[in-house]
Amino acid sequence: MTLSPSLLPEHVVLDDFAVEATGLLVAELRAAVRARGLVSVALAGGGTPLGLYRGLAIMAGDVDWKRVHVFWGDERLVSPDDPGSNYREAFEALLSHVPIPPENIHRVRGELPAGEAVADYVAQLRDWAAVHDPRAPNPWPRFDIVLLGLGEDGHTASLFPGSPVDVAAPVIAVTADYQGRPAGRVTLTPRLLNDARRVIFLATGAKKTAAVRKTWTIDDPVRFPARRIRPANGRVTWWLDRAAAGDLTSPA
Ligand code: 6PG
């Protein structure tokens, strides 16, 4: 299966959030490349990052794409050309428009049965880390940048409210119904995500205000899985638009 490169529409309208986030992320990508010679990024699914992905495509000339390696924080168990595929969304908005080598794109093979997709992704992560991140403390990468969305129910990646907390595995399969999206999923777990150098949560729109507020203020990682993302040697940042922030001013 191959997706053909899509054309960026003649006019791409980016909202203020996308413009701001694009500038910030370009700076992060460049800083990581300067520091370590390459940058590993886990992309988020969902609709929130699409403006950012389109912004990065427009700013393609500002990033040395040969040095960028992309992964996904989670994927739906559908084929990569399915409209529900997180890979497909990122490919159409970003990856098909930038000179990133195909071997730098490390997608979850959502077309496989769940167990096989998990095993395949674990192997990809292990093999990549052995070559490009040999000093990583565990047999998976210490991602330079992890982008994460936030669901209205408080889920992040495919860590849904009520999902098991003490998971030793870096990748798990999950079944979860959310807004009619594909239910079968594969997700990175906090075990791996908490090795990251930098985690950036993205949330926009008034529909996210309550989830952001509860995640920040209610100490219940089972109901609000984003609370479990606390890198031991990394930073967490929230990029919100005004609507998602509501009247919040700073994280608890
Ligand atoms: C997915 C996700 C998921 C997403 C949130 C927010 O594959 O569904 O990665 O965690 O980030 O559901 O989605 P929206 O950005 O569409 O609100």
Side-chain angles (χ1 to χ4, degrees):
M1 193 290 327
T2 46
L3 286 174
S4 339
S6 59
L7 295 176
L8 268 182
E10 196 172 332
H11 301 288
V12 180
V13 179
L14 298 182
D15 59 21
D16 290 351
F17 176 82
V19 170
E20 188 78 18
T22 299
L24 291 170
L25 193 58
V26 165
E28 295 278 346
L29 293 169
R30 293 169 64 101
V33 169
R34 271 198 309 277
R36 282 175 293 285
L38 58 76
V39 55
S40 54
V41 188
L43 299 177
T48 307
L50 293 181
L52 167 60
Y53 296 164
R54 293 190 187 105
L56 285 176
I58 292 166
M59 301 290 282
D62 284 26
V63 174
D64 184 354
W65 292 97
K66 290 190 305 302
R67 296 174 185 276
V68 179
H69 288 255
V70 296
F71 296 79
W72 276 261
D74 72 328
E75 181 57 279
R76 293 89 176 262
L77 291 175
V78 293
S79 76
D81 55 357
D82 187 283
S85 160
N86 287 339
Y87 162 79
R88 175 181 166 144
E89 294 237 301
F91 183 84
E92 291 189 339
L94 170 61
L95 301 172
S96 62
H97 308 292
V98 299
I100 184 168
E103 62 272 22
N104 291 11
I105 299 175
H106 311 276
R107 69 174 181 86
V108 180
R109 295 179 63 203
E111 66 275 32
L112 297 175
E116 287 176 38
V118 168
D120 177 82
Y121 201 38
V122 169
Q124 288 191 58
L125 292 161
R126 182 197 59 217
D127 293 351
W128 188 88
V131 174
H132 298 286
D133 203 355
R135 282 194 266 163
N138 290 301
W140 51 75
R142 272 198 79 196
F143 285 123
D144 290 299
I145 300 168
V146 175
L147 299 178
L148 289 172
L150 186 73
E152 290 170 38
D153 60 355
H155 78 265
T156 190
S158 287
L159 302 166
F160 284 82
S163 58
V165 175
D166 291 322
V167 179
V171 183
I172 55 171
V174 170
T175 305
D177 288 314
Y178 179 72
Q179 296 185 341
R181 298 178 182 185
R185 292 154 175 261
V186 164
T187 187
L188 299 180
T189 68
R191 179 90 170 86
L192 183 154
L193 293 167
N194 284 334
D195 278 351
R197 294 190 169 86
R198 183 101 161 86
V199 175
I200 300 165
F201 282 97
L202 306 169
T204 58
K207 287 185 174 164
K208 298 290 174 73
T209 313
V212 171
R213 170 183 289 280
K214 288 177 186 168
T215 298
W216 286 6
T217 57
I218 303 176
D219 188 11
D220 185 343
V222 175
R223 279 169 65 209
F224 302 106
R227 290 192 76 91
R228 289 155 50 195
I229 311 304
R230 308 171 82 99
N233 292 300
R235 283 189 302 147
V236 176
T237 312
W238 288 74
W239 292 356
L240 308 175
D241 68 358
R242 192 166 293 282
D247 58 4
L248 286 164
T249 50
S250 67

